[in-house]
Amino acid sequence: MDTEKIKTAVKLFLEGIGEDPQREGLIETPDRVARMCEEIYGGLSGSAQEHLSKQFSVDNNEIILEKDITFYSTCEHHLLPFYGKAHIAYIPNGKVVGLSKLARAVEVYARRPQIQEQLTGQIADALEKYIAPQGIMVMIEAEHMCMTMRGIKKPGSKTVTYAVRGCLAEDTDKQKMFMEMLR
Ligand code: ZN
């Protein structure tokens, strides 16, 4: 990450909105924002493969559900936060990963400029690629600040997205079960 570029950009941005970047409250803001970017956009240099490569063998391939994985992301259209919960279910094919690793994988894709539909698909694709389970379902529910603090201003409204892969794509019974488990 090029922190000097971020600092210059933030200074210009502040000037652009008519602020004085030299005033006391703002003087260190470019530096603070640059440091924050390392964290909130850190997923750009992260690797889901790294988190998902440590696997355990299992005998029974029953559905595994990790729900309520809290995440924070940034809408790439407005650079405002969107945040909520990701729920991941998969039917293993002899291999599983530690539950915290799923949350780590979510972070890799959430901590970058993002759109929710794409985030949902990227998580499902990463699981497919690195764990190769029989089936995957990912559901994300999120609130978008670009819809609540500006524009149509609908606080509390949630956007829900799904991605389904493998055997779960045709299995509506299992999809229903997934939805029931989320209640
Ligand atoms: Zn937006």
Side-chain angles (χ1 to χ4, degrees):
M1 214 171 275
D2 189 334
T3 51
E4 285 311 313
K5 264 194 180 160
I6 298 168
K7 285 188 221 171
T8 306
V10 172
K11 222 174 136 225
L12 281 172
F13 166 77
L14 289 169
E15 284 171 11
I17 62 168
E19 264 290 1
D20 170 14
Q22 299 304 324
R23 73 175 172 83
E24 198 188 343
L26 292 176
I27 189 86
E28 286 177 33
T29 296
D31 194 51
R32 276 190 213 101
V33 173
R35 269 182 279 132
M36 177 183 74
C37 286
E38 303 248 0
E39 183 174 348
I40 69 175
Y41 299 124
L44 287 168
S45 56
S47 150
Q49 182 176 19
E50 186 191 316
H51 299 301
L52 298 177
S53 61
K54 182 151 176 53
Q55 301 175 354
F56 307 94
S57 297
V58 286
D59 297 328
N60 91 3
N61 287 315
E62 293 300 325
I63 193 163
I64 293 170
L65 171 68
E66 176 72 359
K67 66 179 199 176
D68 296 331
I69 302 169
T70 301
F71 74 89
Y72 297 89
S73 189
T74 306
C75 148
E76 69 183 24
H77 298 144
H78 301 93
L79 296 184
L80 284 174
F82 72 94
Y83 53 90
K85 308 236 187 248
H87 314 289
I88 298 173
Y90 66 101
I91 299 178
N93 196 4
K95 296 273 181 203
V96 299
V97 290
L99 296 178
S100 69
K101 304 299 182 189
L102 289 177
R104 291 278 173 226
V106 169
E107 275 186 351
V108 166
Y109 297 109
R111 292 184 173 185
R112 60 179 71 185
Q114 188 55 283
I115 54 176
Q116 185 177 331
E117 297 86 337
Q118 181 175 268
L119 172 63
T120 314
Q122 284 175 338
I123 295 165
D125 290 341
L127 260 67
E128 188 166 52
K129 190 168 174 193
Y130 302 122
I131 314 177
Q134 300 179 60
I136 304 157
M137 269 193 84
V138 179
M139 174 188 166
I140 293 183
E141 37 189 343
E143 184 168 334
H144 292 245
M145 293 299 283
C146 59
M147 286 172 67
T148 55
M149 73 178 281
R150 61 160 288 285
I152 60 168
K153 296 197 182 66
K154 286 273 178 278
S157 70
K158 292 243 170 87
T159 304
V160 181
T161 47
Y162 300 91
V164 191
R165 301 283 186 271
C167 69
L168 287 172
E170 295 97 54
D171 194 336
T172 47
D173 285 345
K174 284 256 167 47
Q175 288 180 21
K176 270 188 210 142
M177 193 173 133
F178 176 66
M179 301 308 285
E180 289 292 321
M181 287 162 89
L182 293 180
R183 291 239 172 92

